[in-house]
Amino acid sequence: HVQLVESGGGSVQAGGSLRLSCAGPRYSYDTYCMAWFRQASGKEREVVAMMYSADGSQYLADSVEGRFAISKDNAANVLYLQMNSLKPEDTSIYYCAAGASRLCWSAPLYPYWGQGTQVTVS
């Protein structure tokens, strides 16, 4: 059972910033794609940002475009999500995921997950 370890969540006022980190074993990072998802109370899990490992190309959800950025430190096996200009609607539990080999926006196709970290924006 591969567990990715997340950190960096917390409470922040609207307009503030947070950076989430996700560390894991090397083989979980040498996969087709990695992503950040979030799940608010009573809602389905949704993709926030994803990165294709081969060329580093990225996708950001419309709701976070221009405010969030996904990046990866390959030497340290750490995936990041920089979140700026946070809004109350960004309040959610954020999860990192790795290991999907296709359809990188689809949560069920990821075998490796972090435990989730709460982000609260007031």
Side-chain angles (χ1 to χ4, degrees), residues 34-107:
M34 300 184 69
W36 288 95
F37 289 81
R38 67 185 181 187
Q39 187 166 18
S41 179
K43 295 186 177 181
E44 293 186 356
R45 192 168 297 191
E46 61 175 357
V47 64
V48 175
M50 59 188 190
M51 174 180 282
Y52 295 91
S53 299
D55 60 5
S57 58
Q58 304 173 14
Y59 161 84
L60 293 169
D62 289 344
S63 58
V64 305
E65 180 71 49
R67 300 188 297 122
F68 289 15
I70 184 172
S71 62
K72 186 169 65 168
D73 183 335
N74 289 318
N77 301 336
V78 179
L79 183 72
Y80 297 102
L81 184 68
Q82 178 66 45
M83 305 185 294
N84 300 324
S85 302
L86 283 161
K87 303 176 180 180
E89 51 263 44
D90 294 318
T91 295
S92 190
I93 299 175
Y94 285 72
Y95 300 89
C96 65
S101 58
R102 61 187 178 93
L103 302 178
C104 299
W105 57 88
S106 177

